[in-house]
Amino acid sequence: MATAPDAPQPGPVGPAARAELLAAPGPGGRGRRTALSALTDDWLAGLFAEAGAPSGVAVVAVGGYGRGELSPRSDLDVLLLHEGRLDPALPERLWYPVWDSGASLDHAVRTPAEARSVAAADLKAQLGLLDARHVAGDPALTAALRSAVLADWRAGAPRRLPELRELVRERAERHGELSFLLEPDLKEARGGLRDVVALRAVAASWLADAPREGLDAAALRLADVRDALHLVTGRATERLALQDQDQVAERLGVPDADALLREVYRAARTVAYASDVAWRSVERVLAARSGRGRRPPRRFPFAAAVAGRGAVARGAVERRPLAEGVVEQDGEAVLARGARPAADPVLPLRAAAAAAQNGLALAHATVRRLAAECRPLPVPWPDEARERLVTLLGAGEACLPVWEALEAQGLITRLLPEWEWVRCRPQRNAVHRWTVDRHLVETAARAAAMTRRVARPDLLLVAALLHDIGKGRPGDHSEAGEAAVRVLAARMGFDPESVETLAVLVRHHLTLVDTATRRDPDDPATVEAVTKAVGTAARLELLRALTEADALATGPAAWSAWRASLVDGLTARAAARLTGAPGAGPGPVEAEPTAEQERLAVEAARTGGPALSLSATASPRAGGDGTGPMGVRLLLAVPDRPGLLGTVAGVLALHRLAVRSAGLRGLDPIGAGPVLLFSWTVAAEFGELPEAARLRADLRRALDGSLDVARRLAERDAAAPRRRGVPAPPPVVAVAPPVASASATVLEVRAHDAPGLLHRIGRALDGTGVRVRTAHVSTLGADAVDAFYLTDAAGRPLSARRAGEVAAAVRAALG
């Protein structure tokens, strides 16, 4: 047994005591690492005394040994510190017994000046000295070195921290992300123990700190797994190899290897997220110190969000609105001062969508506040919540860090409790490169680039997010996922037809690729199997896009030109079967006008001017007053005249009203001439909705020419600050086949939603001289999916050449 810590152990007693401690039963943990460090201290102190060291010499532990975190096979990082006069034989008398014991020793002999000089030239050496701890000899010598090294680190932090950040990046590129590797390197991979050391160095600089929630526990868990790995293998390895995982799990009392990996992944994600937050803080502080920070024309008081010792209060910064209750501040999305999370359960999704669409990080303090104060969403979700989730997913790659921020504070499982089934779940398949949950988000990111291919991009994105949600449940994961998504989609507030479509997509997300690669494509039964599974051409269109997104997110081996050609061939055969029967119809059947619509149409016909009404929709934002996003129906009747669509849409854009959905139809209520009736669902981008009287007055001015809508919008756009945003798929403008309508030409427009989008489309159509007989406008997340039923002046469908010219004009306007 080891003697008391104040009684140095001579000779072989130290190695024997270390071996006895490591052989003791139990999982170990921090207590054993501390005890192992203490035994090693006593052993080295005894060797130091036996070597007859004079005054002015000290043994100093550095690195992991300095932190008191010795793993069973860790190197002993030791510095023999002296004042300049040292017996050359002393180091050998000290080191040889250590080598003879079989311990791995990393040693150096230096004066304090030499140690500081090496640290100034070698960042890794400086990091090791930050954890310097006295073991034996002259304590004043150790204390002086430690003080000097910390002072050097803090003085040189503006130069050394960027260098450390680059080392962290390079290490992550070499070793990958610990959270997703089947054989992770517990020390070197991103989110591993090296990152924990880097975060300690950041904190020691007094410039910034990492969020502390769960960080110590995550670091402890990684260290425990590393200890067990050392004991199981008998080697100083950091890679948790497949063949060792069951034994490591057993030693730690974990049910199996999968449960072990999930624990490791959760810990690594905590470390990786803390690292991201800390490095963003460092970059902001250094930018402000160097004068590269923003210098806004207006200033607001701002307290530093960096937690921990040495947090620096910074100057005022600019706040730019992003969405209701959300602003951009210092390169991050944060809550506006007037935001009330407790009264606005949609705010987490609105803030996340705004951050992702603008290519910003969601501030850590903001996510913490949202998690602490926001109430759960009602069931079913309000319309805005569903739309904001789709908008978040539609941001593509920019969604990933925002999703991670939400997940770090438990907001994802609060929104989608079923997510816990797949969270951090490993996939023991060489084809898969991600855990199940990350694969789902990656699939949605891939699908975001395919939203122009489908008529329901919202269903594509949600299906991508949920297609493997059944993994981790008993039975076939597609069948389990279908049952789960029916509940999930209904909870999100999708209508029954959309719920059924999502269920079909999840149940059959492997059907196309499996059938195309394993069945004879020329066999009629093959096509029959696919058409029977999907049921409609619209679902087939969605399934084709989901199939590709799923494969691309799986890994490079899951998709190829050969597989794509097989899937495309099968899809084309199934589409021909599903779409071959129907003939040309008259177009959409309009419902009879309501009493309110007829009243407004009569008023517009009699007065010759616009008549409108504003009212809350049936699904106002939960916790709101019916005037927030997704909460207002605008009915507008205007006597028909050329250019109405572009003018009306432009006035709405001037008032910062986002069009969520819209319909356009013609009426002749009193036989005095046609009246166009617009039925809009609108949302105020920021703040309150305009008064109806003011909106009517601006419409009158726009119609009589005293308000130049196009010029005003151009001036506002020119004055607006440029944001980087996220790249969106290019717009698609296409003329539908004649089968779409027998009495009109249908122009389909799919584009990224943006302020004034409908105004630009309307002006382009007005400029071509065609008549817009009816229009159906939908905003699904961040995507606009519009259909315009066009005729010539005589009310006939357009010729093919004319339709192509109109499409080209709209395409140019959106370009």
Side-chain angles (χ1 to χ4, degrees):
M1 293 293 294
T3 59
D6 56 349
Q9 303 173 37
V13 176
R18 284 165 52 90
E20 182 179 344
L21 175 65
L22 295 179
R30 172 183 276 174
R32 183 174 59 194
R33 287 188 292 275
T34 301
L36 187 57
S37 298
L39 285 174
T40 304
D41 287 354
D42 295 343
W43 177 36
L44 291 179
L47 294 176
F48 185 80
E50 286 185 347
S55 61
V57 181
V59 176
V60 181
V62 297
Y65 179 29
R67 293 189 298 274
E69 297 177 352
L70 275 183
S71 287
R73 296 289 174 175
S74 289
D75 291 350
L76 302 182
D77 295 324
V78 181
L79 171 64
L80 186 61
L81 195 64
H82 63 94
E83 294 179 324
R85 299 179 301 277
L86 185 70
D87 178 0
L90 177 62
E92 293 185 357
R93 292 197 297 272
L94 189 59
W95 306 146
Y96 269 105
V98 178
W99 288 327
D100 290 343
S101 75
S104 180
L105 180 67
D106 189 351
H107 62 90
V109 181
R110 296 189 177 108
T111 65
E114 289 170 343
R116 293 175 67 187
S117 177
V118 169
D122 185 343
L123 178 59
K124 293 181 180 178
Q126 189 169 35
L127 293 176
L129 286 174
L130 290 177
D131 296 309
R133 180 175 57 82
H134 183 71
V135 173
D138 187 349
L141 198 60
T142 304
L145 174 65
R146 179 174 172 80
S147 295
V149 168
L150 283 171
D152 291 343
W153 175 247
R154 288 163 187 153
R159 176 177 58 87
R160 301 314 297 266
L161 285 178
E163 186 180 348
L164 177 57
R165 178 71 178 111
E166 191 56 34
L167 282 179
V168 169
R169 283 198 186 101
E170 291 174 356
R171 182 164 37 79
E173 290 176 0
R174 287 197 308 273
H175 297 279
E177 295 201 42
L178 199 161
S179 302
F180 308 120
L181 297 169
L182 278 177
E183 294 188 309
D185 189 308
L186 299 170
K187 187 174 183 180
E188 302 292 344
R190 179 176 182 265
L193 292 168
R194 286 279 192 207
D195 279 347
V196 176
V197 174
L199 290 177
R200 289 194 180 102
V202 171
S205 73
W206 287 1
L207 291 183
D209 197 4
R212 286 301 173 195
E213 307 96 325
L215 183 58
D216 288 343
L220 284 174
R221 195 53 178 160
L222 292 176
D224 290 349
V225 175
R226 180 194 189 202
D227 286 3
L229 179 63
H230 283 189
L231 292 172
V232 163
T233 62
R235 295 180 287 110
T237 179
E238 315 297 340
R239 185 169 298 280
L240 186 58
L242 291 173
Q243 66 267 22
D244 302 321
Q245 290 173 8
D246 285 316
Q247 289 178 277
V248 172
E250 181 180 1
R251 188 171 189 95
L252 291 171
V254 177
D256 54 36
D258 276 5
L260 171 67
L261 281 182
R262 293 189 80 176
E263 289 191 6
V264 169
Y265 292 163
R266 287 190 181 102
R269 289 189 189 183
T270 299
V271 174
Y273 175 67
S275 184
D276 289 342
V277 173
W279 286 115
R280 287 202 306 269
S281 297
V282 168
E283 289 169 2
R284 288 197 302 272
V285 172
L286 295 184
R289 286 192 167 197
S290 66
R292 291 184 287 110
R294 295 177 174 88
R295 294 292 183 267
R298 299 177 60 197
R299 296 197 174 270
F300 302 86
F302 172 61
V306 178
R309 181 177 59 180
V312 181
R314 308 239 317 277
V317 296
E318 186 178 15
R319 298 166 69 89
R320 297 190 179 98
L322 297 175
E324 185 185 1
V326 189
V327 298
E328 176 187 355
Q329 176 178 285
D330 214 8
E332 293 183 323
V334 304
L335 295 185
R337 290 188 180 84
R340 296 184 300 158
D344 189 355
V346 181
L347 189 54
L349 284 172
R350 191 183 313 126
Q357 284 292 328
N358 286 278
L360 301 172
L362 193 56
H364 172 65
T366 291
V367 186
R368 284 187 61 192
R369 184 180 171 196
L370 291 170
E373 298 182 25
C374 279
R375 295 182 289 108
L377 284 168
V379 177
W381 290 8
D383 291 343
E384 191 205 353
R386 186 176 63 255
E387 291 288 335
R388 297 294 182 172
L389 174 63
V390 171
T391 301
L392 169 62
L393 299 175
E397 293 291 328
C399 167
L400 298 175
V402 177
W403 190 274
E404 290 173 356
L406 296 176
E407 193 169 55
Q409 294 296 323
L411 283 166
I412 295 299
T413 48
R414 186 187 301 181
L415 290 166
L416 308 171
E418 295 83 353
W419 196 256
E420 190 59 38
W421 301 351
V422 297
R423 183 168 179 260
C424 296
R425 182 171 294 280
Q427 304 202 79
R428 296 185 178 277
N429 185 319
V431 175
H432 279 278
R433 57 183 298 192
W434 306 110
T435 54
V436 178
D437 59 336
R438 179 58 180 263
H439 168 70
L440 293 176
V441 185
E442 289 279 347
T443 303
R446 296 284 189 169
M450 304 174 189
T451 52
R452 301 296 175 267
R453 301 186 191 178
V454 298
R456 290 294 301 273
D458 57 332
L459 297 184
L460 171 61
L461 292 169
V462 172
L465 181 71
L466 301 177
H467 73 277
D468 275 344
I469 198 68
K471 288 190 173 179
R473 310 303 292 170
D476 182 272
H477 81 277
S478 296
E479 295 177 0
E482 177 190 5
V485 84
R486 288 184 185 278
V487 176
L488 267 166
R491 187 191 309 147
M492 291 177 179
F494 282 104
D495 61 80
E497 177 62 25
S498 297
V499 171
E500 185 63 27
T501 295
L502 287 169
V504 168
L505 293 174
V506 171
R507 174 67 181 87
H508 294 287
H509 69 272
L510 297 175
T511 294
L512 273 183
V513 70
D514 284 352
T515 306
T517 55
R518 299 176 184 177
R519 300 275 296 275
D520 180 3
D522 295 322
D523 186 344
T526 301
V527 176
E528 178 68 20
V530 172
T531 57
K532 183 177 180 181
V534 298
T536 69
R539 289 175 185 168
L540 179 65
E541 177 185 70
L542 287 164
L543 187 61
R544 169 60 181 84
L546 174 61
T547 299
E548 182 176 348
D550 182 17
L552 291 173
T554 297
W559 194 246
S560 64
W562 171 73
R563 287 197 174 201
S565 66
L566 293 179
V567 170
D568 285 339
L570 178 59
T571 302
R573 290 178 173 88
R577 170 98 40 109
L578 289 169
T579 60
V589 177
E590 297 286 357
E592 289 296 318
T594 65
E596 177 70 1
Q597 290 173 330
E598 288 187 339
R599 183 188 67 79
L600 292 173
V602 169
E603 180 182 343
R606 286 177 175 171
T607 63
L612 62 87
S613 68
L614 290 170
S615 61
T617 64
S619 302
R621 188 185 69 225
D625 55 8
T627 60
M630 303 303 298
V632 172
R633 173 66 51 79
L634 168 63
L635 293 178
L636 171 66
V638 188
D640 195 5
R641 54 179 286 183
L644 268 184
L645 177 60
T647 300
V648 173
V651 172
L652 295 184
L654 273 182
H655 284 267
R656 296 192 182 277
L657 294 176
V659 178
R660 311 309 298 171
S661 64
L664 167 66
R665 63 184 299 180
L667 293 175
D668 190 357
I670 59 175
V675 171
L676 284 186
L677 183 67
F678 297 86
S679 178
W680 312 77
T681 300
V682 299
E685 291 182 37
F686 316 109
E688 299 297 325
L689 287 163
E691 296 179 357
R694 181 182 170 193
L695 187 58
R696 184 186 295 110
D698 281 350
L699 283 167
R700 288 184 180 276
R701 293 173 56 215
L703 292 171
D704 67 24
S706 59
L707 174 61
D708 189 338
V709 175
R711 181 178 61 82
R712 288 279 300 277
L713 286 173
E715 289 173 351
R716 191 179 72 183
D717 290 345
R722 297 294 179 187
R723 292 195 188 95
R724 53 187 168 181
V726 297
V732 172
V733 182
V735 179
V739 70
S741 174
S743 58
T745 296
V746 181
L747 185 72
E748 296 177 343
V749 180
R750 300 175 185 177
H752 188 77
D753 190 34
L757 173 67
L758 188 55
H759 168 67
R760 294 198 301 275
I761 296 172
R763 286 196 71 197
L765 292 175
D766 295 339
T768 63
V770 298
R771 291 183 57 196
V772 181
R773 196 186 75 187
T774 57
H776 300 271
V777 174
S778 299
T779 304
L780 303 171
D783 294 297
V785 181
D786 305 338
F788 302 92
Y789 286 72
L790 310 177
T791 67
D792 59 20
R796 297 169 305 205
L798 307 181
S799 67
R801 181 183 63 80
R802 184 83 173 101
E805 293 171 350
V806 173
V810 174
R811 201 174 292 118
L814 299 182

